[in-house]
Amino acid sequence: MKKSWAVLTALTLGAGLLSGCGSGGDASDQQSGETTTNGKVKLTAIMTKHPLTQEFSKMEWLQKAEEKAGVEIEWQEVSADWDQKKGTLLAGGDIPDLIIGPNSITDADFAQFQGLFEDLTPLIQQYGPNVQAMFDAKPETKVIATQLDGKIYGLPKYQRFWPDTTTRQFINQQWLDNLKLDMPTDWDELYDVLVAFKDEDANGNGDKNDEIPLDFAPSGTGGFGAFMPTVLLGSQGMTLTDNSGQGYFVEDGQVKNFFIDERYKNVVAFLHKCFAAGLINPEVFTQDYTKYQSVARGSGDTAAVGFTWGWEVTDRVGNTLAPQYASMSPLKMNASSGGDLSWNYDYNSLNYGVNMVQMSSRSKNKEAAMKFINELYDPEVSMQVLFGSLGTNIKDNGDGSFAVLPPEDSAMDPGTWKWTSTWADNGPMYIADSLKLTLGTDMQAVGKETEPLKAALDAVDKKKDVLPSMFIKYSVEDNNAMSLNNTAMLSLTMAKWAQWITEGGVENEWDGYVANVKQTGVEKNIEIIQKYYDDYMSKN
């Protein structure tokens, strides 16, 4: 999946990547309004892409989409530092014709930088039949796109095939067998297994110091994504929605925030216990997502990581090591724990996306920009946005049906192949329900690997325990207030997350910490979200 995760955590702009739209006036003023020698309209665009993704010039489907729309796009391909650079970019009004990527521009940005982005409503009516077809077939996508004032500044996506959760839990079954250990069922048993992984040469290569018992995805300053230990909150009955990156969740119809919940303290304390015992990758807070993936691939058939979280097993540990691993059920907190287990419920964020593409209000070629956007929402083009170009990544069966092809390099797993080849989940798309597409082996495996989580996912009360965040729109005033409060809150909470796991102190500092978090305005945000949540649920 490799989501936008680590979307999936925040994507960011590296040094020099904004040089094409830097000083000297608005990028759209400079670049738009021009045509090439063959009559194509010149456009500028930024996209937040996955670090693995190849150069856009190598994507055949993209070149064809530009050709059909009659445009030539100067791309700025972004894979680092977006959240750090975006504020300066928006404050200067110095944006290109298009900005693309999952929620790279947020509803809060629309509220703060009013007038910077184009209302796409009339353009969709004139030049966006594919977008309109998505709205007609999936009315909820129009709900996602439409602000309270009825305007549409960012377009969503619909990709249809994904399961109920992003994150699966994997353990090296071969290591368990080597050490004659049972599958752990609670945190205490997991701790004992991780100690054995560390001390007893679990991978059997004669080196007792090369095993990493536990590893998880890197967290940034902007909150949590997938493949992180926050899933352990489900051991205590808490259901996170779409990873609950800023801590907000719903429990029995009440909006809460786990950063000030005792159950979060329990997770942090357990993780510090593991870290202090040398059971967690010491680079867990300094490695990037690419390193997180590569470490788990081990060396040859010698695995390096014992217990971890990921999207799909070949995506997480590669083709060679995948047979060593088993997908696990949710863990209880301890043997005497009562109550139901839960798990992250992510169906909405997996199959839909918010603000996937935006247009500058200062673009001189809005018609051409909208025609290009419309091409992305053609279902057959969208299929290639997600899985790669026809011929290399997708087979046309000649009868109106298609099939995702295996990687050209047999040593590469399908997930890496997808993210290397195309925009994948980070792109705007509409995968119509009528499109006939046979999925690749990784997507077929995801269903089987989700089975141990099925009971917990089936038990989730979709009406009372799921926060439908992307379907709720806030007023400009409330958006601005929550954005400021969340920035202050996350500055405190994410620093403490790393500090407490590596150095300890959560038990002694908890009460003072909760008081400080409340001073950032989290309770006001909960009150605001509760009001909108109640209103939304009363109508749906």
Side-chain angles (χ1 to χ4, degrees):
M1 188 67 178
K2 292 186 186 65
K3 228 67 165 137
S4 9
W5 320 132
V7 63
L8 322 280
T9 58
L11 286 168
T12 55
L13 270 181
L17 285 171
L18 288 176
S19 59
C21 61
S23 61
D26 186 86
S28 56
D29 288 341
Q30 293 177 19
Q31 302 291 345
S32 299
E34 301 178 16
T35 58
T36 64
T37 54
N38 58 0
K40 293 181 182 178
V41 176
K42 289 186 177 181
L43 298 175
T44 56
I46 287 176
M47 183 177 177
T48 55
K49 71 173 190 176
H50 192 278
L52 290 177
T53 303
Q54 66 180 355
E55 294 177 5
F56 294 175
S57 61
K58 298 178 180 179
M59 297 180 187
E60 184 179 357
W61 71 263
L62 179 56
Q63 309 313 312
K64 289 182 176 179
E66 290 186 27
E67 181 74 29
K68 189 171 181 181
V71 301
E72 183 177 290
I73 301 178
E74 179 184 335
W75 288 101
Q76 296 171 50
E77 303 174 27
V78 176
S79 58
D81 299 336
W82 175 245
D83 280 346
Q84 297 175 26
K85 303 293 185 180
K86 181 176 68 170
T88 302
L89 179 71
L90 298 183
D94 194 10
I95 67 173
D97 295 295
L98 299 173
I99 297 179
I100 299 174
N103 214 27
S104 52
I105 301 298
T106 66
D107 286 353
D109 294 328
F110 297 144
Q112 184 176 356
F113 299 98
Q114 296 182 56
L116 196 56
F117 297 95
E118 182 71 11
D119 174 17
L120 300 176
T121 306
L123 290 168
I124 292 169
Q125 294 169 354
Q126 289 184 277
Y127 309 111
N130 294 327
V131 176
Q132 187 60 51
M134 177 179 69
F135 286 168
D136 292 342
K138 295 290 177 182
E140 62 272 24
T141 59
K142 189 171 184 180
V143 173
I144 294 171
T146 306
Q147 301 296 317
L148 288 181
D149 61 4
K151 295 181 178 180
I152 295 175
Y153 301 109
L155 291 177
K157 70 173 179 178
Y158 173 65
Q159 62 188 74
R160 165 185 165 198
F161 293 115
W162 266 238
D164 285 347
T165 188
T166 306
T167 299
R168 270 144 287 275
Q169 192 161 254
F170 300 113
I171 195 166
N172 193 306
Q173 182 67 54
Q174 184 170 299
W175 288 14
L176 291 175
D177 295 341
N178 288 347
L179 302 180
K180 297 181 172 54
L181 299 171
D182 294 329
M183 179 77 73
T185 61
D186 60 42
W187 296 2
D188 294 332
E189 292 179 0
L190 175 64
Y191 179 84
D192 291 340
V193 163
L194 296 177
V195 169
F197 283 174
K198 175 180 181 291
D199 293 343
E200 299 181 31
D201 188 24
N203 62 21
N205 68 344
D207 184 351
K208 290 187 176 183
N209 298 311
D210 67 345
E211 287 86 358
I212 298 173
L214 167 60
D215 201 8
F216 52 85
S219 53
T221 58
F224 291 108
F227 320 143
M228 297 183 186
T230 44
V231 296
L232 294 177
L233 290 165
S235 302
Q236 302 166 87
M238 187 185 298
T239 304
L240 304 187
T241 306
D242 304 333
N243 298 312
S244 294
Q246 296 177 324
Y248 299 101
F249 67 102
V250 169
E251 192 166 50
D252 196 24
Q254 297 299 305
V255 177
K256 302 178 181 180
N257 191 293
F258 66 64
F259 281 119
I260 54 174
D261 192 296
E262 288 274 342
R263 290 170 288 185
Y264 175 73
K265 181 181 74 170
N266 294 337
V267 170
V268 174
F270 172 69
L271 292 172
H272 172 64
K273 177 183 176 182
C274 293
F275 194 91
L279 308 180
I280 296 177
N281 183 350
E283 298 181 3
V284 71
F285 291 111
T286 57
Q287 66 184 355
D288 61 15
Y289 189 83
T290 302
K291 181 69 177 297
Y292 166 70
Q293 286 290 82
S294 65
V295 166
R297 304 300 172 101
S299 176
D301 59 1
T302 301
V305 175
F307 174 80
T308 190
W309 295 280
W311 165 248
E312 183 270 333
V313 68
T314 64
D315 176 270
R316 182 69 188 99
V317 300
N319 291 338
T320 301
L321 296 178
Q324 295 187 21
Y325 287 79
S327 181
M328 294 175 62
S329 300
L331 296 163
K332 296 190 297 181
M333 185 174 173
N334 53 56
S336 60
S337 295
D340 296 328
L341 299 175
S342 192
W343 196 257
N344 287 17
Y345 183 80
D346 308 321
Y347 179 85
N348 289 337
S349 65
L350 286 173
N351 289 282
Y352 300 91
V354 62
N355 299 331
M356 302 299 296
V357 54
Q358 291 74 221
M359 184 188 302
S360 168
S361 63
R362 297 176 66 180
S363 172
K364 292 183 178 180
N365 279 302
K366 297 183 177 68
E367 175 184 335
M370 187 66 226
K371 286 181 178 178
F372 172 71
I373 291 172
N374 187 63
E375 285 303 309
L376 300 178
Y377 284 87
D378 177 294
E380 290 190 14
V381 176
S382 292
M383 169 183 71
Q384 297 172 79
V385 172
L386 184 55
F387 292 112
S389 296
L390 282 166
T392 53
N393 295 69
I394 300 172
K395 178 184 178 183
D396 185 341
N397 295 323
D399 59 0
S401 68
F402 305 89
V404 176
L405 293 168
E408 290 181 330
D409 180 354
S410 61
M412 184 180 289
D413 64 277
T416 298
W417 173 234
K418 178 186 77 169
W419 282 97
T420 301
S421 303
T422 188
W423 292 356
D425 305 64
N426 285 0
M429 69 188 79
Y430 168 48
I431 309 290
D433 289 344
S434 59
L435 185 73
K436 298 177 181 178
L437 176 64
T438 301
L439 299 176
T441 56
D442 59 327
M443 288 300 297
Q444 295 177 34
V446 161
K448 183 176 181 181
E449 292 166 9
T450 307
E451 288 177 4
L453 308 172
K454 189 175 186 301
L457 289 167
D458 287 348
V460 172
D461 187 328
K462 311 300 189 297
K463 289 289 186 181
K464 294 183 177 181
D465 294 328
V466 172
L467 183 59
S469 299
M470 68 174 59
F471 297 99
I472 296 175
K473 298 296 180 183
Y474 300 92
S475 70
V476 171
E477 180 182 12
D478 287 336
N479 243 325
N480 286 337
M482 289 194 299
S483 180
L484 288 172
N485 293 342
N486 284 332
T487 297
M489 177 190 69
L490 291 171
S491 178
L492 170 61
T493 56
M494 297 310 294
K496 282 296 184 183
W497 162 257
Q499 177 188 326
W500 280 338
I501 291 174
T502 57
E503 300 175 15
V506 65
E507 294 93 343
N508 295 333
E509 298 178 19
W510 179 257
D511 291 343
Y513 156 84
V514 169
N516 289 336
V517 174
K518 288 181 177 179
Q519 288 179 2
T520 67
V522 67
E523 291 178 310
K524 179 60 177 177
N525 281 11
I526 290 172
E527 179 184 326
I528 293 171
I529 297 170
Q530 184 76 58
K531 178 181 66 174
Y532 285 86
Y533 168 82
D534 289 342
D535 181 65
Y536 176 84
M537 296 304 295
S538 70
K539 298 174 182 176
N540 294 277

